[in-house]
Amino acid sequence: MQFFLDTANIAEIRAARAWGLLDGVTTNPTLMAREGGDWRAVMRDICREVEGPVSLEAVGETADEFIAMGLDLMRNGPNVVVKIPMTPEGLKAVRVLKSKGVDTNVTLIFSPMQALLAAKAGASFVSPFVGRLDGLSQDGMQLVADIMAILRNYAMDARVIVASVRHPRHVAEAALMGAHVATVPFAVLRQMFDHPLTSAGLETFNKDWAALNG
Ligand code: G3P
């Protein structure tokens, strides 16, 4: 399973890379706005820091706008994946970008049918948003299970990025389902290290070691 970091923050990217846990990065306009400053420079820096795929979101309404911005985003590096929203115009753009050899990540997926359409259009990745669905009292992880089953039924190439992750349990369930990627906020990645019994056990070992050494 691959771990992407859902962030536009360079310090977080470097920390995840130092742990050997950085397979890629996903960004969106909200994450870019959170960093502030010159978004073009931020995107360039992220693409330099990361060896794996970096999703950069194209913003627009028409296929032509998504394609133009997508091609512009590609200038940030060979690892750019153009993130395109799940709309009819977005899927038109996915098809054209694929014909030009550009990888895409179709975002804002909330139903199995949306994922199937995106995969058929030629998306390299589809991103179901599990946390936002859970927030509406729907079952985000069931959506991932349904999408995985559909893609497997037809041996489709699109890879599933479990997005809008809120806690480590989302990542564990994604791994049990065989989802290809989870894109995790840094805080969730950090939580994934922790268990109270690990902390308690370590404290006891350290105390006993100190006693042993007088
Ligand atoms: O980057 C896409 C997705 O992970 C956003 O998640 O936290 O805004 O629901 P969130």
Side-chain angles (χ1 to χ4, degrees), residues 5-7 26-31 34 55 57 83 105 107-108 110 127-133 161-166 183-185:
L5 206 58
D6 201 26
T7 190
T26 53
T27 66
N28 61 36
T30 305
L31 294 170
R34 200 173 290 162
S55 287
E57 190 149 342
K83 213 171 179 188
N105 169 5
T107 187
L108 289 165
F110 293 96
S127 289
F129 277 31
V130 297
R132 292 192 195 186
L133 268 183
I161 302 179
V162 177
S164 185
V165 163
R166 295 282 182 268
T183 189
V184 290

mmCIF file of all heavy atoms in Angstrom, residues 5-7 26-31 34 55 57 83 105 107-108 110 127-133 161-166 183-185, ligand 1:
data_model
loop_
_atom_site.group_PDB
_atom_site.id
_atom_site.type_symbol
_atom_site.label_atom_id
_atom_site.label_comp_id
_atom_site.label_asym_id
_atom_site.label_seq_id
_atom_site.Cartn_x
_atom_site.Cartn_y
_atom_site.Cartn_z
ATOM 1 N N LEU A 5 0.956 11.925 1.187
ATOM 2 C CA LEU A 5 0.648 12.927 2.207
ATOM 3 C C LEU A 5 -0.291 13.951 1.580
ATOM 4 O O LEU A 5 -0.040 14.427 0.467
ATOM 5 C CB LEU A 5 1.956 13.578 2.670
ATOM 6 C CG LEU A 5 1.971 14.155 4.073
ATOM 7 C CD1 LEU A 5 1.636 13.100 5.120
ATOM 8 C CD2 LEU A 5 3.325 14.786 4.368
ATOM 9 N N ASP A 6 -1.381 14.257 2.285
ATOM 10 C CA ASP A 6 -2.376 15.219 1.798
ATOM 11 C C ASP A 6 -2.006 16.578 2.380
ATOM 12 O O ASP A 6 -2.494 16.967 3.448
ATOM 13 C CB ASP A 6 -3.767 14.755 2.278
ATOM 14 C CG ASP A 6 -4.904 15.334 1.458
ATOM 15 O OD1 ASP A 6 -4.680 15.678 0.280
ATOM 16 O OD2 ASP A 6 -6.026 15.426 1.986
ATOM 17 N N THR A 7 -1.149 17.287 1.687
ATOM 18 C CA THR A 7 -0.595 18.527 2.250
ATOM 19 C C THR A 7 0.074 19.342 1.151
ATOM 20 O O THR A 7 0.431 18.801 0.093
ATOM 21 C CB THR A 7 0.465 18.207 3.332
ATOM 22 O OG1 THR A 7 0.814 19.399 4.025
ATOM 23 C CG2 THR A 7 1.730 17.621 2.735
ATOM 24 N N THR A 26 -0.670 14.640 -2.333
ATOM 25 C CA THR A 26 -1.850 15.210 -2.976
ATOM 26 C C THR A 26 -2.083 16.600 -2.400
ATOM 27 O O THR A 26 -1.901 16.819 -1.203
ATOM 28 C CB THR A 26 -3.114 14.343 -2.756
ATOM 29 O OG1 THR A 26 -3.282 14.100 -1.355
ATOM 30 C CG2 THR A 26 -3.020 13.010 -3.482
ATOM 31 N N THR A 27 -2.457 17.518 -3.274
ATOM 32 C CA THR A 27 -2.789 18.868 -2.819
ATOM 33 C C THR A 27 -4.173 19.211 -3.361
ATOM 34 O O THR A 27 -4.719 18.490 -4.201
ATOM 35 C CB THR A 27 -1.787 19.908 -3.359
ATOM 36 O OG1 THR A 27 -1.926 19.992 -4.784
ATOM 37 C CG2 THR A 27 -0.355 19.533 -3.029
ATOM 38 N N ASN A 28 -4.718 20.294 -2.878
ATOM 39 C CA ASN A 28 -5.953 20.848 -3.449
ATOM 40 C C ASN A 28 -5.928 22.352 -3.190
ATOM 41 O O ASN A 28 -5.038 22.841 -2.471
ATOM 42 C CB ASN A 28 -7.198 20.145 -2.880
ATOM 43 C CG ASN A 28 -7.321 20.294 -1.373
ATOM 44 O OD1 ASN A 28 -6.990 21.332 -0.812
ATOM 45 N ND2 ASN A 28 -7.800 19.243 -0.695
ATOM 46 N N PRO A 29 -6.852 23.110 -3.759
ATOM 47 C CA PRO A 29 -6.800 24.563 -3.583
ATOM 48 C C PRO A 29 -6.858 24.990 -2.113
ATOM 49 O O PRO A 29 -6.234 25.982 -1.724
ATOM 50 C CB PRO A 29 -8.032 25.050 -4.365
ATOM 51 C CG PRO A 29 -8.210 24.019 -5.444
ATOM 52 C CD PRO A 29 -7.865 22.719 -4.782
ATOM 53 N N THR A 30 -7.596 24.239 -1.284
ATOM 54 C CA THR A 30 -7.688 24.588 0.138
ATOM 55 C C THR A 30 -6.322 24.428 0.816
ATOM 56 O O THR A 30 -5.886 25.292 1.589
ATOM 57 C CB THR A 30 -8.741 23.686 0.832
ATOM 58 O OG1 THR A 30 -9.975 23.815 0.125
ATOM 59 C CG2 THR A 30 -8.932 24.055 2.287
ATOM 60 N N LEU A 31 -5.646 23.323 0.524
ATOM 61 C CA LEU A 31 -4.330 23.082 1.132
ATOM 62 C C LEU A 31 -3.315 24.118 0.628
ATOM 63 O O LEU A 31 -2.464 24.592 1.401
ATOM 64 C CB LEU A 31 -3.846 21.660 0.810
ATOM 65 C CG LEU A 31 -4.679 20.529 1.428
ATOM 66 C CD1 LEU A 31 -4.278 19.171 0.849
ATOM 67 C CD2 LEU A 31 -4.529 20.519 2.951
ATOM 68 N N ARG A 34 -3.930 27.355 2.436
ATOM 69 C CA ARG A 34 -3.475 27.279 3.831
ATOM 70 C C ARG A 34 -2.000 27.666 3.952
ATOM 71 O O ARG A 34 -1.568 28.250 4.925
ATOM 72 C CB ARG A 34 -3.699 25.851 4.348
ATOM 73 C CG ARG A 34 -3.722 25.738 5.847
ATOM 74 C CD ARG A 34 -4.113 24.340 6.283
ATOM 75 N NE ARG A 34 -5.498 24.008 6.015
ATOM 76 C CZ ARG A 34 -5.994 22.776 5.982
ATOM 77 N NH1 ARG A 34 -5.204 21.733 6.197
ATOM 78 N NH2 ARG A 34 -7.277 22.584 5.732
ATOM 79 N N SER A 55 -0.107 15.205 -6.915
ATOM 80 C CA SER A 55 -1.362 15.676 -7.518
ATOM 81 C C SER A 55 -1.501 17.173 -7.312
ATOM 82 O O SER A 55 -1.516 17.645 -6.168
ATOM 83 C CB SER A 55 -2.568 14.973 -6.885
ATOM 84 O OG SER A 55 -2.656 13.641 -7.301
ATOM 85 N N GLU A 57 -4.031 20.384 -8.443
ATOM 86 C CA GLU A 57 -5.412 20.480 -8.926
ATOM 87 C C GLU A 57 -5.590 21.564 -9.988
ATOM 88 O O GLU A 57 -5.170 22.706 -9.816
ATOM 89 C CB GLU A 57 -6.354 20.741 -7.744
ATOM 90 C CG GLU A 57 -7.815 20.600 -8.130
ATOM 91 C CD GLU A 57 -8.687 20.109 -6.977
ATOM 92 O OE1 GLU A 57 -8.147 19.560 -5.991
ATOM 93 O OE2 GLU A 57 -9.911 20.274 -7.071
ATOM 94 N N LYS A 83 -4.976 16.860 -11.065
ATOM 95 C CA LYS A 83 -6.198 16.528 -10.330
ATOM 96 C C LYS A 83 -7.361 17.259 -11.003
ATOM 97 O O LYS A 83 -7.295 18.477 -11.230
ATOM 98 C CB LYS A 83 -6.037 16.996 -8.883
ATOM 99 C CG LYS A 83 -6.732 16.140 -7.861
ATOM 100 C CD LYS A 83 -6.300 16.578 -6.471
ATOM 101 C CE LYS A 83 -6.965 15.777 -5.394
ATOM 102 N NZ LYS A 83 -6.683 16.350 -4.071
ATOM 103 N N ASN A 105 -5.924 12.466 -11.692
ATOM 104 C CA ASN A 105 -6.521 11.982 -10.449
ATOM 105 C C ASN A 105 -7.891 12.645 -10.358
ATOM 106 O O ASN A 105 -7.975 13.861 -10.177
ATOM 107 C CB ASN A 105 -5.606 12.387 -9.280
ATOM 108 C CG ASN A 105 -6.231 12.172 -7.916
ATOM 109 O OD1 ASN A 105 -7.332 11.621 -7.796
ATOM 110 N ND2 ASN A 105 -5.540 12.618 -6.880
ATOM 111 N N THR A 107 -11.062 13.768 -8.645
ATOM 112 C CA THR A 107 -11.291 14.082 -7.232
ATOM 113 C C THR A 107 -12.763 14.382 -6.968
ATOM 114 O O THR A 107 -13.541 14.542 -7.900
ATOM 115 C CB THR A 107 -10.383 15.267 -6.817
ATOM 116 O OG1 THR A 107 -10.488 15.479 -5.413
ATOM 117 C CG2 THR A 107 -10.759 16.549 -7.541
ATOM 118 N N LEU A 108 -13.104 14.422 -5.681
ATOM 119 C CA LEU A 108 -14.482 14.701 -5.245
ATOM 120 C C LEU A 108 -15.418 13.574 -5.689
ATOM 121 O O LEU A 108 -16.513 13.819 -6.195
ATOM 122 C CB LEU A 108 -14.964 16.059 -5.770
ATOM 123 C CG LEU A 108 -14.293 17.273 -5.113
ATOM 124 C CD1 LEU A 108 -14.537 18.546 -5.908
ATOM 125 C CD2 LEU A 108 -14.757 17.447 -3.669
ATOM 126 N N PHE A 110 -17.861 10.611 -4.701
ATOM 127 C CA PHE A 110 -18.726 10.248 -3.568
ATOM 128 C C PHE A 110 -19.664 9.086 -3.886
ATOM 129 O O PHE A 110 -20.522 8.744 -3.063
ATOM 130 C CB PHE A 110 -19.543 11.477 -3.120
ATOM 131 C CG PHE A 110 -18.680 12.563 -2.528
ATOM 132 C CD1 PHE A 110 -18.254 13.624 -3.309
ATOM 133 C CD2 PHE A 110 -18.266 12.499 -1.203
ATOM 134 C CE1 PHE A 110 -17.438 14.619 -2.770
ATOM 135 C CE2 PHE A 110 -17.453 13.484 -0.653
ATOM 136 C CZ PHE A 110 -17.035 14.540 -1.445
ATOM 137 N N SER A 127 -10.325 9.354 -6.523
ATOM 138 C CA SER A 127 -10.206 9.724 -5.102
ATOM 139 C C SER A 127 -11.563 9.813 -4.414
ATOM 140 O O SER A 127 -12.214 10.870 -4.428
ATOM 141 C CB SER A 127 -9.487 11.080 -4.966
ATOM 142 O OG SER A 127 -8.126 10.956 -5.282
ATOM 143 N N PRO A 128 -12.021 8.709 -3.800
ATOM 144 C CA PRO A 128 -13.216 8.787 -2.953
ATOM 145 C C PRO A 128 -12.891 9.507 -1.640
ATOM 146 O O PRO A 128 -11.860 9.240 -1.025
ATOM 147 C CB PRO A 128 -13.566 7.315 -2.697
ATOM 148 C CG PRO A 128 -12.302 6.556 -2.934
ATOM 149 C CD PRO A 128 -11.464 7.341 -3.879
ATOM 150 N N PHE A 129 -13.791 10.399 -1.222
ATOM 151 C CA PHE A 129 -13.587 11.211 -0.016
ATOM 152 C C PHE A 129 -14.334 10.559 1.144
ATOM 153 O O PHE A 129 -15.527 10.801 1.348
ATOM 154 C CB PHE A 129 -14.143 12.623 -0.242
ATOM 155 C CG PHE A 129 -13.218 13.569 -0.959
ATOM 156 C CD1 PHE A 129 -12.304 13.127 -1.899
ATOM 157 C CD2 PHE A 129 -13.276 14.933 -0.696
ATOM 158 C CE1 PHE A 129 -11.459 14.012 -2.565
ATOM 159 C CE2 PHE A 129 -12.443 15.835 -1.349
ATOM 160 C CZ PHE A 129 -11.531 15.378 -2.287
ATOM 161 N N VAL A 130 -13.654 9.762 1.937
ATOM 162 C CA VAL A 130 -14.355 8.968 2.952
ATOM 163 C C VAL A 130 -14.816 9.801 4.151
ATOM 164 O O VAL A 130 -15.928 9.633 4.645
ATOM 165 C CB VAL A 130 -13.509 7.752 3.401
ATOM 166 C CG1 VAL A 130 -13.270 6.813 2.234
ATOM 167 C CG2 VAL A 130 -12.185 8.161 4.034
ATOM 168 N N GLY A 131 -13.972 10.710 4.618
ATOM 169 C CA GLY A 131 -14.308 11.478 5.823
ATOM 170 C C GLY A 131 -15.522 12.374 5.615
ATOM 171 O O GLY A 131 -16.361 12.517 6.498
ATOM 172 N N ARG A 132 -15.590 12.989 4.446
ATOM 173 C CA ARG A 132 -16.736 13.881 4.197
ATOM 174 C C ARG A 132 -18.036 13.091 4.125
ATOM 175 O O ARG A 132 -19.089 13.584 4.531
ATOM 176 C CB ARG A 132 -16.511 14.675 2.908
ATOM 177 C CG ARG A 132 -15.369 15.677 3.038
ATOM 178 C CD ARG A 132 -15.337 16.649 1.893
ATOM 179 N NE ARG A 132 -14.055 17.341 1.852
ATOM 180 C CZ ARG A 132 -13.757 18.337 1.036
ATOM 181 N NH1 ARG A 132 -14.658 18.771 0.173
ATOM 182 N NH2 ARG A 132 -12.564 18.898 1.046
ATOM 183 N N LEU A 133 -17.969 11.856 3.599
ATOM 184 C CA LEU A 133 -19.181 11.011 3.580
ATOM 185 C C LEU A 133 -19.567 10.611 5.003
ATOM 186 O O LEU A 133 -20.742 10.682 5.372
ATOM 187 C CB LEU A 133 -18.942 9.750 2.746
ATOM 188 C CG LEU A 133 -19.316 9.788 1.274
ATOM 189 C CD1 LEU A 133 -19.066 8.418 0.652
ATOM 190 C CD2 LEU A 133 -20.758 10.221 1.049
ATOM 191 N N ILE A 161 -7.271 6.129 -4.580
ATOM 192 C CA ILE A 161 -6.653 6.901 -3.493
ATOM 193 C C ILE A 161 -7.740 7.189 -2.462
ATOM 194 O O ILE A 161 -8.689 7.922 -2.741
ATOM 195 C CB ILE A 161 -6.095 8.253 -3.997
ATOM 196 C CG1 ILE A 161 -5.060 8.052 -5.107
ATOM 197 C CG2 ILE A 161 -5.490 9.032 -2.829
ATOM 198 C CD1 ILE A 161 -4.494 9.378 -5.668
ATOM 199 N N VAL A 162 -7.622 6.588 -1.291
ATOM 200 C CA VAL A 162 -8.585 6.871 -0.223
ATOM 201 C C VAL A 162 -8.245 8.264 0.331
ATOM 202 O O VAL A 162 -7.153 8.476 0.874
ATOM 203 C CB VAL A 162 -8.531 5.794 0.874
ATOM 204 C CG1 VAL A 162 -9.471 6.132 2.016
ATOM 205 C CG2 VAL A 162 -8.872 4.431 0.270
ATOM 206 N N ALA A 163 -9.170 9.203 0.141
ATOM 207 C CA ALA A 163 -8.912 10.606 0.480
ATOM 208 C C ALA A 163 -9.888 11.074 1.554
ATOM 209 O O ALA A 163 -10.821 10.354 1.908
ATOM 210 C CB ALA A 163 -9.040 11.463 -0.771
ATOM 211 N N SER A 164 -9.635 12.277 2.055
ATOM 212 C CA SER A 164 -10.443 12.838 3.142
ATOM 213 C C SER A 164 -10.378 11.903 4.360
ATOM 214 O O SER A 164 -11.383 11.599 4.998
ATOM 215 C CB SER A 164 -11.895 13.050 2.668
ATOM 216 O OG SER A 164 -12.675 13.689 3.626
ATOM 217 N N VAL A 165 -9.154 11.469 4.642
ATOM 218 C CA VAL A 165 -8.899 10.539 5.758
ATOM 219 C C VAL A 165 -8.917 11.320 7.070
ATOM 220 O O VAL A 165 -8.309 12.383 7.174
ATOM 221 C CB VAL A 165 -7.524 9.855 5.523
ATOM 222 C CG1 VAL A 165 -7.002 9.208 6.794
ATOM 223 C CG2 VAL A 165 -7.621 8.853 4.378
ATOM 224 N N ARG A 166 -9.635 10.793 8.055
ATOM 225 C CA ARG A 166 -9.789 11.513 9.328
ATOM 226 C C ARG A 166 -9.044 10.873 10.495
ATOM 227 O O ARG A 166 -8.817 11.522 11.507
ATOM 228 C CB ARG A 166 -11.277 11.595 9.701
ATOM 229 C CG ARG A 166 -12.117 12.408 8.738
ATOM 230 C CD ARG A 166 -11.937 13.908 8.973
ATOM 231 N NE ARG A 166 -12.771 14.671 8.077
ATOM 232 C CZ ARG A 166 -12.386 15.135 6.879
ATOM 233 N NH1 ARG A 166 -11.143 14.940 6.458
ATOM 234 N NH2 ARG A 166 -13.215 15.818 6.119
ATOM 235 N N THR A 183 -4.256 8.754 1.074
ATOM 236 C CA THR A 183 -3.599 10.054 1.207
ATOM 237 C C THR A 183 -3.977 10.633 2.550
ATOM 238 O O THR A 183 -5.152 10.835 2.851
ATOM 239 C CB THR A 183 -3.907 11.000 0.025
ATOM 240 O OG1 THR A 183 -3.048 12.147 0.175
ATOM 241 C CG2 THR A 183 -5.361 11.420 -0.094
ATOM 242 N N VAL A 184 -2.976 10.805 3.407
ATOM 243 C CA VAL A 184 -3.251 11.109 4.818
ATOM 244 C C VAL A 184 -2.733 12.493 5.202
ATOM 245 O O VAL A 184 -1.635 12.882 4.802
ATOM 246 C CB VAL A 184 -2.618 10.038 5.759
ATOM 247 C CG1 VAL A 184 -3.331 8.724 5.630
ATOM 248 C CG2 VAL A 184 -1.149 9.853 5.495
ATOM 249 N N PRO A 185 -3.529 13.230 5.991
ATOM 250 C CA PRO A 185 -2.994 14.459 6.575
ATOM 251 C C PRO A 185 -1.829 14.095 7.498
ATOM 252 O O PRO A 185 -1.807 12.995 8.072
ATOM 253 C CB PRO A 185 -4.174 15.024 7.379
ATOM 254 C CG PRO A 185 -5.386 14.295 6.909
ATOM 255 C CD PRO A 185 -4.914 12.965 6.411
HETATM 256 O O1 G3P B 1 -7.150 16.227 -0.953
HETATM 257 C C1 G3P B 1 -8.405 15.665 -1.008
HETATM 258 C C2 G3P B 1 -9.003 15.290 0.310
HETATM 259 O O2 G3P B 1 -8.151 14.435 1.001
HETATM 260 C C3 G3P B 1 -9.485 16.448 1.144
HETATM 261 O O3 G3P B 1 -9.896 16.027 2.378
HETATM 262 O O4 G3P B 1 -9.996 16.787 4.696
HETATM 263 O O5 G3P B 1 -10.717 18.368 2.905
HETATM 264 O O6 G3P B 1 -12.121 16.366 3.465
HETATM 265 P P1 G3P B 1 -10.745 16.937 3.421
#
